[in-house]
Amino acid sequence: MQLDCYNARKKKVDQSDFGLCMMIGLVLPYGVNSTYAATDGSQVVISQVYGGGGNLNAVLKNDFIELYNPTDTTIDITGWRVRYAASSGTISETSGSTALTGTIKAKGYYLIQEAAGTGGTASLPAPDKIGTIAMGGTGGKVDLVRGTGGSVEVLDFVAYATSNTTAAIRKAAPGAHPDSRGFDSNSDSDFRVDTPDPRNSSYVVRAAAVTAAPAPNAWPAGTLSVSLESATAGSTVYASVNGAEYAQYSSPLTIQVPSTIRAYAARRITRTATYQPLITRYSRRRMLPRRERPRMAGTC
C-alpha cells in the first residue's frame, strides 16, 4: 500500500485516497517520511518542517515550513499552498493551509512562518510568507499542493515526528552542494532530525576556492598537518578526505598517505572569501617515491 502512495506522485489525487496515503506514510517518533516529490530534482520540495515554535524549551518563537528549489530555473509558486494536519488527522481542503505567492530562485529557499507559541526567545529570519497554522511540536503532516477543489496536485508530502527543539531537515542530494537541501528518494532517509535552521529567500551559499601550498606533487614525506584558515570571520568550513562525506572542519587534518582533500566554506553573505590551506612539515625519515607523495585538490 505504501508503494502505491509513492507512485501517486505528480498526478491528480482524490482527497479520500490522499487521506489514506497520509495515514500509511506516518512513521515512528523522531523520523520523517517523504512521498510524492520528484526524485530527479525537477521540482520544489519541502526542505524543512518545524512545529515546536514557542513551546517548552524552544528557542524560536514560531513554527515554520521551508521550501527549496533544486532546479536551475526560477519557479513561480503563486497559487500554490502548504497544508497541515495533526498526526492522527487527515489533510484535506478544510485543513489549515497557507497560500503562497512569488517565486523561488534557482537553488534558493522560501520560508513560511506559521503560528507562534507563548515561549521562545528568537524570531525567524524575515519570512517570505506568513501563515497562521498551529503545527504540532511532536508530529504532524505537511504537503505542498497546487490547484483547488475536489482534487489537487500534490507536489510533496512530509509526515514528521520530532520534538519542541528539533526539526525535520532534508539532506543534500548526491553530487549537489553539501549545504543544499534537495535529496529526494521518497523515503525517511531523505531527512535528518536536527536543531531548527530556517532559511529564507535571501540565504546565499558561496563556495570559496581552496588552493594547495606547496603545490601538488611537491610535498615531502612524513605526517602533514593541514590547517584551513580564513581571513573572513563568520564562515563554516567543511572538508572531505579521499572522497569521504563532507564534515564540519574544526581542527587540523593529519594525513600520512597520498590524499585528495576538498573543502568549501559556507557563509550567509553575498561576497566570496578565499581560504588557504597551510601545510606544516614534520620530521621525516625517508622520501616517498613520487607516485606515493600526498596530493591535494583545490576544488570545492
Side-chain angles (χ1 to χ4, degrees):
M1 290 296 293
Q2 191 170 17
L3 180 59
D4 293 336
C5 291
Y6 287 174
N7 290 340
R9 174 173 54 85
K10 295 186 69 179
K11 75 173 187 178
K12 298 289 184 177
V13 182
D14 181 79
Q15 291 302 315
S16 60
D17 294 335
F18 186 52
L20 180 62
C21 290
M22 295 298 101
M23 298 304 294
I24 295 172
L26 189 62
V27 296
L28 296 175
Y30 300 98
V32 291
N33 184 273
S34 173
T35 68
Y36 293 94
T39 56
D40 60 359
S42 62
Q43 67 182 31
V44 174
V45 296
I46 298 170
S47 54
Q48 187 172 183
V49 179
Y50 175 62
N55 293 355
L56 180 65
N57 297 323
V59 174
L60 295 173
K61 300 176 183 178
N62 291 78
D63 302 336
F64 68 85
I65 300 168
E66 176 194 280
L67 306 180
Y68 176 67
N69 176 8
T71 76
D72 296 322
T73 305
T74 296
I75 295 179
D76 189 345
I77 60 172
T78 300
W80 296 17
R81 290 172 294 149
V82 289
R83 305 184 301 179
Y84 167 82
S87 297
S88 59
T90 301
I91 295 181
S92 69
E93 286 297 278
T94 59
S95 299
S97 67
T98 301
L100 309 179
T101 57
T103 60
I104 306 181
K105 61 188 176 184
K107 303 297 189 294
Y109 294 89
Y110 186 98
L111 183 61
I112 307 160
Q113 176 179 292
E114 298 295 357
T118 57
T121 57
S123 299
L124 296 176
D128 300 296
K129 177 59 64 173
I130 296 177
T132 58
I133 302 174
M135 299 166 59
T138 58
K141 307 163 188 172
V142 175
D143 70 5
L144 173 66
V145 301
R146 57 187 173 194
T148 57
S151 63
V152 295
E153 185 177 5
V154 181
L155 302 176
D156 198 7
F157 159 71
V158 176
Y160 70 95
T162 52
S163 72
N164 290 342
T165 59
T166 57
I169 305 176
R170 191 178 289 271
K171 300 175 184 177
H177 194 292
D179 197 37
S180 63
R181 295 173 176 170
F183 182 40
D184 184 19
S185 64
N186 282 332
S187 72
D188 55 3
S189 64
D190 297 352
F191 286 80
R192 58 186 172 87
V193 176
D194 208 339
T195 303
D197 180 24
R199 297 175 178 178
N200 60 13
S201 58
S202 65
Y203 183 87
V204 177
V205 174
R206 287 287 184 266
V210 177
T211 58
N217 303 323
W219 292 7
T223 300
L224 299 174
S225 179
V226 181
S227 298
L228 305 178
E229 296 186 355
S230 169
T232 305
S235 298
T236 301
V237 176
Y238 298 84
S240 169
V241 180
N242 292 332
E245 184 176 352
Y246 278 91
Q248 185 170 335
Y249 176 85
S250 59
S251 60
L253 300 171
T254 301
I255 57 174
Q256 295 175 296
V257 297
S259 300
T260 298
I261 300 175
R262 292 182 171 85
Y264 77 93
R267 189 183 182 205
R268 300 183 186 185
I269 57 173
T270 56
R271 58 195 176 90
T272 301
T274 299
Y275 292 80
Q276 176 75 15
L278 301 179
I279 312 303
T280 303
R281 186 179 70 180
Y282 286 75
S283 61
R284 58 180 179 175
R285 294 184 178 180
R286 65 182 181 88
M287 291 294 291
L288 291 175
R290 176 175 293 276
R291 65 177 181 277
E292 296 182 21
R293 294 178 188 175
R295 302 169 182 270
M296 179 172 180
T299 58
C300 294

